[in-house]
């Protein structure tokens, strides 16, 4: 293993750190080749958007980053994915610990059938992050504040999380994900089940989160990608077609397929 | 003749269907738009014929014997019936009908033979009348249905009304049957409590129901306290649940969440086979394998074990309940949305943590419901305990002792020499009613628990 810290100091001039490096990643579902030769470098403290038509593999690739694909029997991942220079598919890496470091928010809000407090305290509890009740209270409050939902729920922390509205549930799930202090936050179409107002709230929240985390967001909405992200990757049929600054992708795409997609001709 | 009636009904209904369908198709072929498809016109005729005539045949078959008997009795010589008690009247009627059936014993009086001839005549007349009624009424209904075929006639709505009526009838059959069963139980239990005081039954600590039913028969003095019997049921149920609940839950959790597909595809059918084993086979297993094994093991470590222990009957009953609980828990776990599994795993939970902290709490209502239904089944289970449990009621909670159960007592009270004006026989109905009430209470309780947890978790 090489020294990640030293590597970081060397790169720290002029540009942001590289948080995740993927090299020649291949994903197979049985015999179906879902991701082909994807190589990408994702920066720290940046929002990176994955766009592309349905079935292009963007969610599959996202799920490689915290090894959620391990839970699917027929799924096979090849190639190299490293976070802070450490290969996450190495045999010595425990996916359970990896997932504590790489949080994830899903398409549909999925609060556990527990109280709001217990939802947020779930991660800290299973990872033993709090020594006592008051520390746990602090962690929960901090996470809910970061999830921009504290003011709405502070008086009813013992109410069931499933009783909140859709947008509140999604922000609760974001708060739950940040409660374990992850370094990377993966978001799989986090706004597709939300109305425009809730979407706006979540987008605002994503913008704030990038100060602390590397955020990777999969989205179907190109406007959303343009609004929240600094870097954009366009996937098509399992290939990473183009990856660049968001501004450049939307104003001056290099690949004709990217241009067709963002102007609405394929998708 | 009844077969002929049903055959005619079938023919009439089919004819009505075909006639109406053809008529409707003819209208359609003329270029008129039909309100209902021709098929519905046919079905309208079919149902209109079948439903009332079917009811008519059934009612006729049920009621005709009463009417015929009444006519026969009324035509008997006046002095015979006025002297006879109700029992003797029944006997006379039975003799007449056996003569009518051709079974003549001894030398019956001439008025009995007259009556028997009249009975034969009435029976034949009744079946001819039935066939005639079926033909006339069926043809009339089919004709009526045929007359109504027109472009505007709303045959589809009529058919839907009739079919939904049929469905309502089927849905209420179970309810009315249950009410009938309860009524019969309550009626017999009422008779029992007029012979044995209610308090003795409810609080008595002795159960010795084998009292004499004839003069001079050697039997017990009689004691009807149900507590030792229900205690035996509870001991066996407890043993069964101690075996079944942990095993069933663990197997469900393993199969649902941890087992590879190949293991699941083998184990699951085996569990289903276990669910299909007749309880009498479990009874064999308990009495021939488990009970002797427990006994010899107990003796080898110096315990006094009776030959038919509660432990043997209960543990085999537990094995019977394993697939029941397992499949309930499996369904409950499968019903938990996949999003919760992924959410938990994505937080860095292990599979075990996911199971204990998220899946299990979310599945609790279904699991508790399943367990309580298993309790009801254990309490009502009969065959295993009839074969493997004891017959003597004892106030004990020692599972190594021999106990009896409510169901075993009901069976033993109702076989052999019985008469229905005797507390020994009627006690079976009282026990049955209590059993019914206990399982009803458990089921109500189960539903309440399920509802309470559902409120907290959804």
């Amino acid at each position: 293993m090489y020294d990640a810290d030293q590597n970081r100091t060397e790169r720290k001039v002029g540009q942001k750190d590289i948080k995740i490096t993927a090299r020649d990643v291949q994903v197979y579902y049985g015999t179906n080749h879902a991701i082909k030769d994807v190589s990408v470098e994702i920066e720290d403290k940046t929002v990176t958007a994955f766009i592309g038509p349905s079935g292009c593999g963007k969610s599959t690739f996202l799920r490689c980053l915290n090894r959620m694909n391990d839970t699917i029997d027929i799924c096979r991942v090849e190639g190299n994915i490293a976070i802070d220079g450490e290969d996450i598919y190495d045999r010595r890496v425990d996916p359970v610990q990896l997932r504590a470091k790489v949080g994830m928010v899903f398409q549909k809000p999925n609060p556990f059938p527990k109280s709001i407090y217990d939802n947020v305290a779930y991660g800290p509890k299973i990872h033993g992050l709090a020594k006592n009740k008051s520390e746990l209270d602090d962690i929960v409050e901090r996470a809910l504040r970061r999830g921009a939902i504290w003011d709405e729920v502070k008086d009813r922390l013992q109410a069931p999380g499933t009783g909140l509205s859709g947008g509140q549930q999604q922000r609760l799930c974001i708060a739950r994900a940040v409660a374990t202090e992850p370094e990377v936050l993966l978001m799989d179409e986090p706004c597709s089940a939300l109305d425009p107002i809730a979407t706006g709230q979540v987008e605002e929240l994503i913008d704030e989160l990038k100060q602390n985390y590397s955020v990777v967001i999969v989205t179907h909405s190109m406007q959303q990608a343009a609004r929240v992200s600094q870097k954009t990757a366009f996937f098509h049929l399992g290939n990473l077609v183009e990856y660049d600054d968001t501004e450049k992708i939307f104003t001056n795409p290099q690949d004709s397929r990217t241009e067709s997609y963002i102007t609405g001709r394929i998708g | 003749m009844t077969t002929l009636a049903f055959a005619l009904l079938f023919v009439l209904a089919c004819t009505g269907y075909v006639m109406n369908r053809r008529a409707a198709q003819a209208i359609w072929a003329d270029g008129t738009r039909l309100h209902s498809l021709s098929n519905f016109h046919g079905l309208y005729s079919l149902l209109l014929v079948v439903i009332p005539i079917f009811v008519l045949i059934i009612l006729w078959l049920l009621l005709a014997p009463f009417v015929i008997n009444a006519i026969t009795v009324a035509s008997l010589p006046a002095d015979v019936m006025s002297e006879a008690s109700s029992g003797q009247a029944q006997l006379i009627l039975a003799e007449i009908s056996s003569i009518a059936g051709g079974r003549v014993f001894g030398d019956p009086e001439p008025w009995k033979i007259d009556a028997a001839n009249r009975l034969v005549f009435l029976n034949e007349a009744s079946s001819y009348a039935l066939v005639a009624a079926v033909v006339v009424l069926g043809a009339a209904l089919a004709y009526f249905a045929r007359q109504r075929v027109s472009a505007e006639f709303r045959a589809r709505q009529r058919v839907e009304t009739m079919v939904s009526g049929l469905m309502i009838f089927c849905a209420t059959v179970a309810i009315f049957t249950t009410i009938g069963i309860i009524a019969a139980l309550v009626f017999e239990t009422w008779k029992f409590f007029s012979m044995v005081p209610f308090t003795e039954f409810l609080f008595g600590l002795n159960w010795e129901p084998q009292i004499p039913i004839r003069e001079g028969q050697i039997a017990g003095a009689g004691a009807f306290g149900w507590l030792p019997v229900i205690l035996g049921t509870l001991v066996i149920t407890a043993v069964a649940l101690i075996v079944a609940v942990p095993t069933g839950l663990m197997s469900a959790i393993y199969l649902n969440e941890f087992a590879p597909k190949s293991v699941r595809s083998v184990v699951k059918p085996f569990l289903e086979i276990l669910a299909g084993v007749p309880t009498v086979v479990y009874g064999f297993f308990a009495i021939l394998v488990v009970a002797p094994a427990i006994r010899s093991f107990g003796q080898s470590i110096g315990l006094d074990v009776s030959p038919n222990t509660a432990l043997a009957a209960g543990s085999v009953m537990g094995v019977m309940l394993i697939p029941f609980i397992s499949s309930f828990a499996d369904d409950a776990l499968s019903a938990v949305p996949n999003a919760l599994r992924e959410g938990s795993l994505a937080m860095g939970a292990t599979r075990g943590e996911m199971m204990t902290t998220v899946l299990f709490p979310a599945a609790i209502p279904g699991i508790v419901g399943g367990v309580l239904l298993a309790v009801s089944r254990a309490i009502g289970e009969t065959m295993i305990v009839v074969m493997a449990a004891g017959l003597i009621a004892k106030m004990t909670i020692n599972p190594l002792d021999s106990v009896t159960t409510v169901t075993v007592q009901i069976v033993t009270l109702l076989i052999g020499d019985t008469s229905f004006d005797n507390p020994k026989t009627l006690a079976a109905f009282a026990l049955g009613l209590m059993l019914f009430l206990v399982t009803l209470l458990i089921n109500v309780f189960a539903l309440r628990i399920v509802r309470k947890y559902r409120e907290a978790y959804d």
Side-chain angles (χ1 to χ4, degrees):
Chain A
M1 279 179 55
Y2 76 105
D3 190 346
D5 280 337
Q6 190 194 341
N7 199 295
R8 194 176 290 171
T9 45
E10 276 171 14
R11 278 207 206 123
K12 224 172 192 165
V13 196
Q15 69 172 75
K16 285 178 173 166
D17 293 344
I18 300 299
K19 187 73 184 173
I20 305 170
T21 318
R23 295 243 173 284
D24 303 324
V25 176
Q26 321 280 343
V27 180
Y28 302 88
Y29 287 118
T31 53
N32 180 13
H33 197 171
I35 295 279
K36 299 159 193 158
D37 292 323
V38 170
S39 298
V40 68
E41 289 188 330
I42 292 168
E43 293 173 4
D44 200 7
K45 304 199 193 309
T46 306
V47 178
T48 306
F50 289 175
I51 59 169
S54 294
C56 67
K58 52 195 190 308
S59 287
T60 300
F61 184 67
L62 190 77
R63 291 165 61 95
C64 291
L65 301 181
N66 67 345
R67 291 185 60 174
M68 279 304 279
N69 285 334
D70 289 17
T71 59
I72 300 167
D73 287 340
I74 54 164
C75 182
R76 192 156 50 85
V77 180
E78 285 172 11
N80 182 292
I81 300 175
I83 294 182
D84 290 336
E86 195 179 342
D87 182 1
I88 61 169
Y89 279 88
D90 191 282
R91 212 174 283 229
R92 282 166 300 184
V93 171
D94 181 359
V96 167
Q97 282 169 359
L98 171 74
R99 289 179 198 141
K101 209 163 81 169
V102 184
M104 186 161 189
V105 176
F106 294 85
Q107 184 170 357
K108 240 185 99 204
N110 58 348
F112 300 135
K114 297 170 182 291
S115 69
I116 293 171
Y117 183 94
D118 286 336
N119 260 286
V120 181
Y122 185 79
K125 266 187 193 160
I126 59 176
H127 296 297
L129 298 182
K131 285 192 199 72
N132 51 46
K133 179 83 172 85
S134 71
E135 246 185 73
L136 190 62
D137 288 349
D138 289 346
I139 292 176
V140 169
E141 181 177 341
R142 208 178 326 135
L144 285 170
R145 280 186 193 283
R146 244 185 241 169
I149 192 182
W150 170 253
D151 291 331
E152 288 157 68
V153 300
K154 64 180 177 216
D155 299 325
R156 45 171 176 157
L157 289 176
Q158 294 311 318
T162 42
L164 298 171
S165 73
Q168 288 175 323
Q169 286 190 10
Q170 194 63 304
R171 278 179 286 148
L172 176 65
C173 291
I174 295 173
R176 185 177 72 188
V178 298
T180 51
E181 300 286 340
E183 297 167 23
V184 179
L185 199 55
L186 309 177
M187 300 182 137
D188 191 353
E189 299 181 41
C191 300
S192 64
L194 305 183
D195 65 38
I197 294 169
T199 302
Q201 287 165 335
V202 171
E203 283 179 5
E204 232 170 85
L205 176 58
I206 293 171
D207 204 51
E208 281 167 34
L209 290 172
K210 77 164 191 284
Q211 286 162 18
N212 298 301
Y213 311 104
S214 168
V215 179
V216 185
I217 176 172
V218 164
T219 177
H220 265 125
S221 152
M222 280 170 284
Q223 289 87 339
Q224 185 172 58
R227 281 195 300 263
V228 300
S229 72
Q230 286 78 55
K231 294 281 236 176
T232 296
F234 172 62
F235 284 79
H236 188 238
L237 301 175
N239 296 301
L240 176 61
V241 176
E242 197 169 347
Y243 175 54
D244 214 325
D245 291 339
T246 301
E247 217 181 289
K248 208 171 160 206
I249 293 271
F250 281 100
T251 53
N252 184 21
Q254 303 298 304
D255 195 290
S256 61
R257 284 172 291 175
T258 317
E259 195 187 349
S260 306
Y261 182 69
I262 61 173
T263 53
R265 263 178 288 153
I266 57 170
Chain B
M1 285 308 256
T2 317
T3 324
L4 180 66
F6 277 111
L8 286 172
L9 168 62
F10 179 74
V11 170
L12 278 169
C14 290
T15 318
Y17 175 81
V18 172
M19 267 174 19
N20 263 27
R21 213 180 117 108
R22 285 224 179 116
Q25 274 168 342
I27 296 176
W28 183 70
D30 286 346
T32 321
R33 242 183 78 92
L34 287 172
H35 170 272
S36 305
L37 292 175
S38 58
N39 197 26
F40 283 111
H41 285 279
L43 282 175
Y44 172 70
S45 173
L46 182 95
L47 290 172
L48 200 66
V49 174
V50 166
I51 297 172
I53 295 195
F54 192 77
V55 173
L56 172 82
I57 295 177
I58 297 294
L59 285 182
W60 195 294
L61 292 178
L62 286 177
L63 299 181
F66 289 102
V67 178
I68 292 171
N69 280 350
I71 295 173
T72 316
V73 169
S75 67
L76 291 178
D79 54 319
V80 179
M81 286 323 261
S82 59
E83 283 167 18
S85 71
S86 76
Q88 282 167 323
Q90 286 289 325
L91 223 59
I92 292 171
L93 206 55
E95 197 184 344
I96 290 172
S97 61
S98 77
I99 296 170
R103 301 178 298 276
V104 186
F105 303 103
D107 223 356
E109 294 92 327
W111 56 267
K112 280 186 183 164
I113 295 174
D114 282 351
N117 286 335
R118 208 168 301 120
L119 192 65
V120 171
F121 169 75
L122 283 173
N123 272 332
E124 269 185 19
S126 155
S127 32
Y128 281 115
L130 173 63
V131 170
V134 166
V135 171
V136 172
L137 195 64
L141 285 168
Y143 178 74
F144 174 71
R146 172 66 189 81
Q147 289 309 106
R148 301 200 67 175
V149 178
S150 70
E152 306 86 53
F153 179 57
R154 304 193 156 215
R156 179 168 56 80
Q157 275 86 339
R158 296 305 175 93
V159 168
E160 278 164 2
T161 312
M162 285 192 273
V163 170
S164 77
L166 272 179
M167 288 192 287
I168 291 170
F169 172 74
C170 293
T172 46
V173 162
I175 297 174
F176 284 115
T177 317
T178 314
I179 292 175
I181 291 171
I182 297 172
L185 271 180
V186 169
F187 180 68
E188 302 289 348
T189 309
W190 189 255
K191 282 206 275 183
F192 172 72
F193 283 129
S194 66
M195 295 176 206
V196 174
F198 187 61
T199 45
E200 187 199 324
F201 178 75
L202 213 56
F203 304 111
L205 299 181
N206 273 316
W207 180 260
E208 284 160 17
Q210 302 296 347
I211 55 170
I213 57 172
R214 286 189 305 276
E215 301 259 336
Q217 195 179 11
I218 300 167
F224 294 95
W226 83 311
L227 284 179
V229 186
I230 188 72
L231 189 68
T233 293
L234 293 180
V235 168
I236 288 186
T237 304
V239 173
L241 289 180
I242 288 168
V243 171
V245 172
T247 323
L249 284 187
M250 292 292 200
S251 79
I253 288 173
Y254 174 69
L255 289 177
N256 195 280
E257 212 49 50
F258 297 98
K261 258 204 191 104
S262 52
V263 174
R264 188 183 158 88
S265 65
V266 174
V267 174
K268 196 90 185 150
F270 264 101
L271 272 178
E272 274 150 24
I273 291 174
L274 207 58
V277 174
T279 52
V280 70
V281 177
Y282 280 114
F284 282 137
F285 182 60
I287 204 166
L288 297 178
V289 180
V290 179
I294 289 174
R295 189 157 198 221
S296 63
F297 177 75
Q299 279 167 343
S300 72
I301 58 170
L303 282 174
D304 183 28
V305 183
S306 77
N308 39 14
T309 58
L311 188 61
S315 53
V316 172
M317 198 193 281
V319 173
M320 177 193 85
L321 293 178
I322 287 172
F324 195 70
I325 290 181
S326 172
S327 82
F328 254 91
D330 195 24
D331 289 348
L333 288 171
S334 302
V336 177
N338 220 14
L340 289 184
R341 284 188 182 80
E342 293 215 309
S344 175
L345 288 176
M347 293 297 299
T350 63
R351 278 183 178 265
E353 283 164 345
M354 171 187 77
M355 177 54 72
T356 50
T357 57
V358 176
L359 284 195
F360 201 71
I364 271 281
I367 293 173
V368 170
V371 168
L372 285 175
L373 283 178
V375 173
S376 294
R377 263 197 81 170
I379 290 178
E381 168 53 38
T382 309
M383 207 58 222
I384 295 176
V385 282
V386 165
M387 294 174 81
L391 284 174
I392 296 157
K394 260 189 226 166
M395 274 310 259
T396 176
I397 54 164
N398 177 10
L400 294 179
D401 215 333
S402 159
V403 297
T404 190
T405 72
V406 176
T407 49
V408 170
Q409 288 308 312
I410 291 175
V411 170
T412 50
L413 290 175
L414 289 182
I415 44 181
D417 243 353
T418 55
S419 82
F420 279 77
D421 50 5
N422 182 294
K424 178 199 156 199
T425 318
L426 292 174
F429 291 95
L431 283 179
L433 187 67
M434 296 311 277
L435 198 62
F436 178 80
L437 288 178
V438 169
T439 41
L440 184 74
L441 273 180
I442 291 174
N443 285 356
V444 169
F445 186 63
L447 281 177
R448 288 197 62 170
I449 283 205
V450 167
R451 222 168 277 156
K452 189 177 157 219
Y453 274 88
R454 192 164 286 160
E455 272 164 14
Y457 278 104
D458 258 338

